Amino acid sequence: MYLTKQEEKMLAGEEGRAVKKSMEILVALGRIFGADKLIEISSVQVAGVSYHNLGDAGLEYLNELAKDGRVKNNITATLNPAGMDLKDWKKLGIPDRFAAKQMQVIDSFRKLGLEITCTCTPYFIGNKPKPGEHIAWSESSAVAYANSVLGARTNREGGPSSLASALTGKTANYGLHLDENRKAEVLVNIGSGVELRTVADFGALGHAISRKVKNKVLYIRGIKKAGIEQLKAFSASTATYSGTALFHIENITHESKNTEAPKDKVIIENRDIKESYDFLNDGSEPDFVSVGCPHASLKELEKIASFLKGKKVKKEFWIAVSRPIKELAASKGYVKVIEDAGAKLACDTCMAVAPLKGRFRCLATNSAKACYYGRGANGFKTRFCSLEECVKLAVR
Ligand code: F3S
């Protein structure tokens, strides 16, 4: 792999130990995946923020980097959700010991120069790359959204490699950074009788496709309309269940007009969507309701507030959201309505990365991805339904 003189110096340690370590990671990845060179990036989103996932070994690694590493100028660098609300963790029932460790993790990221905005929807809060920009993001739903909806270019990075990109301003030139790897590989025809309306429907669609196709660039035909919330839900579901990091939806997503529909095809009919709903529903009476996976938009908070107005929740109900979107929602009065009803805005975190094991039995959610992590990481049964139905279950 070709390295410039400057990159050779960085690799040799002339810009410090953190840069050296970061270059080693990027060069190793580049060699494994056959990259010809390193390229400049403009934006980073770093996963591996929850102490629940990092543990002491991860914290030690960050502390080591923070001794002399800093995010390069001109790079927007934000974080994935942490294991708790960074201000109101007590209200979410997070133990003090966990909170202390989580704050050490955050301090290390702060020293490294990352923005302490912990969210999987960075594109709602200013980390929104332009079409064609090379970036290094690591949360899988954000990666699929950035590639497909925004038209930016990123591989599905790990936490350490995206952090390495933040500290060097570079990534290896392979995979989805290259035109030839962004071409669609499989055509997904959505049957004319399939009605996709809610966010949950789009999550079910991602799951239904995953039962027929894995790890391919998709070209999807037959979706008439999809808003930002539906696209983020689909990004999360297809990334989780299919491993998809890029999809093209005809007449909707950024690169679909320049992409040829492939010959290989699969068809999705109503029965496929129904089977996915059945699969994602293995629970009956939830004791925990959680929406905002990926983190809620302002429009979703507006909807939740309208469903909750004048009601009281009877179950633990979390709405995961980034802090800037919560603040915007507060200025419009949605937060007051939601909190008056007894629901909780879980800022900076979500039900998958918070330490929740053993606290609940059955999760109700409108996110297909949340079902995966609720079951896998926390052993919950899951009830998968629309946002409106989730709110009804919370107040019942
Ligand atoms: Fe985001 Fe957590 Fe879902 S990181 S995509 S809210 S599992």
Side-chain angles (χ1 to χ4, degrees):
M1 187 169 71
Y2 170 76
L3 296 181
T4 64
K5 289 257 171 331
Q6 183 60 26
E7 289 164 352
E8 294 280 9
K9 285 182 186 172
M10 291 161 85
L11 185 60
E14 289 191 22
E15 291 191 18
R17 285 161 57 105
V19 167
K20 177 177 167 46
K21 179 83 213 151
S22 300
M23 285 297 280
E24 285 168 359
I25 291 172
L26 298 177
V27 168
L29 279 172
R31 290 199 173 127
I32 290 167
F33 290 105
D36 57 343
K37 60 181 179 178
L38 297 177
I39 49 174
E40 306 282 323
I41 48 121
S42 59
S43 159
V44 161
Q45 193 256 358
V46 178
V49 179
S50 171
Y51 175 71
H52 189 53
N53 304 330
L54 277 175
D56 285 328
L59 178 55
E60 215 174 284
Y61 178 72
L62 290 176
N63 282 336
E64 200 48 43
L65 286 182
K67 283 182 184 160
D68 70 352
R70 294 294 171 270
V71 171
K72 285 277 174 207
N73 288 341
N74 307 326
I75 291 182
T76 310
T78 56
L79 295 171
N80 208 39
M84 63 183 201
D85 189 307
L86 299 181
K87 289 193 175 153
D88 276 339
W89 69 83
K90 280 187 197 297
K91 95 181 164 190
L92 300 182
I94 305 293
D96 286 349
R97 202 192 142 274
F98 180 92
K101 288 287 190 180
Q102 181 64 70
M103 289 319 287
Q104 288 176 30
V105 170
I106 294 298
D107 282 348
S108 298
F109 279 122
R110 189 174 280 119
K111 273 190 209 136
L112 284 161
L114 285 106
E115 285 177 38
I116 308 304
T117 38
C118 299
T119 183
C120 49
T121 54
Y123 41 86
F124 287 158
I125 57 153
N127 189 356
K128 188 178 178 189
K130 295 195 180 64
E133 271 184 24
H134 295 281
I135 62 174
W137 284 18
S138 43
E139 195 282 318
S140 65
S141 77
V143 165
Y145 190 96
N147 276 317
S148 315
V149 182
L150 303 179
R153 298 185 166 211
T154 179
N155 289 314
R156 192 165 161 171
E157 300 291 346
S161 64
S162 58
L163 189 52
S165 289
L167 303 186
T168 58
K170 294 169 191 294
T171 194
N173 190 35
Y174 70 94
L176 294 175
H177 293 286
L178 303 173
D179 287 343
E180 63 263 34
N181 296 326
R182 298 181 69 85
K183 289 184 185 142
E185 297 168 287
V186 176
L187 169 63
V188 179
N189 265 333
I190 310 291
S192 56
V194 177
E195 258 200 57
L196 298 166
R197 283 185 315 105
T198 65
V199 157
D201 291 343
F202 277 80
L205 173 66
H207 183 268
I209 293 172
S210 80
R211 291 188 283 118
K212 305 193 179 201
V213 192
K214 295 256 193 278
N215 288 318
K216 298 281 184 206
V217 179
L218 306 174
Y219 186 97
I220 304 169
R221 177 175 281 159
I223 295 181
K224 292 169 205 83
K225 220 170 122 187
I228 282 171
E229 289 73 18
Q230 282 89 350
L231 290 170
K232 88 173 157 72
F234 180 72
S235 298
S237 177
T238 195
T240 300
Y241 292 103
S242 276
T244 302
L246 170 61
F247 56 85
H248 306 289
I249 303 182
E250 197 166 77
N251 301 324
I252 293 182
T253 59
H254 194 80
E255 291 172 27
S256 67
K257 49 188 173 307
N258 308 324
T259 309
E260 258 180 57
K263 294 214 164 42
D264 270 0
K265 77 172 172 203
V266 298
I267 298 172
I268 298 292
E269 300 287 6
N270 262 331
R271 66 171 176 278
D272 298 305
I273 303 288
K274 182 175 176 314
E275 278 168 22
S276 286
Y277 265 98
D278 289 346
F279 174 83
L280 294 166
N281 267 290
D282 68 350
S284 51
E285 195 49 45
D287 53 353
F288 180 40
V289 181
S290 182
V291 299
C293 170
H295 272 179
S297 68
L298 186 64
K299 196 166 154 196
E300 285 174 309
L301 293 185
E302 181 187 11
K303 254 192 182 173
I304 294 164
S306 77
F307 294 149
L308 280 174
K309 202 170 173 82
K311 302 198 173 83
K312 287 279 178 212
V313 302
K314 301 205 176 61
K315 301 187 178 106
E316 183 81 1
F317 183 10
W318 287 17
I319 300 132
V321 66
S322 66
R323 194 162 294 281
I325 293 294
K326 179 185 171 184
E327 281 162 9
L328 206 52
S331 72
K332 295 186 176 292
Y334 310 148
V335 171
K336 182 164 179 357
V337 175
I338 291 169
E339 291 185 339
D340 282 353
K344 297 172 183 173
L345 275 298
C347 256
D348 319 310
T349 188
C350 76
M351 58 78 231
V353 293
L356 291 181
K357 205 167 184 154
R359 271 182 66 187
F360 306 104
R361 288 183 320 279
C362 177
L363 163 76
T365 181
N366 65 340
S367 164
K369 176 173 179 175
C371 292
Y372 181 88
Y373 283 98
R375 289 174 180 188
N378 290 317
F380 300 151
K381 297 270 184 210
T382 58
R383 182 87 182 260
F384 176 66
C385 50
S386 71
L387 181 62
E388 191 169 7
E389 285 168 292
C390 283
V391 174
K392 280 185 186 155
L393 286 167
V395 299
R396 194 163 80 184

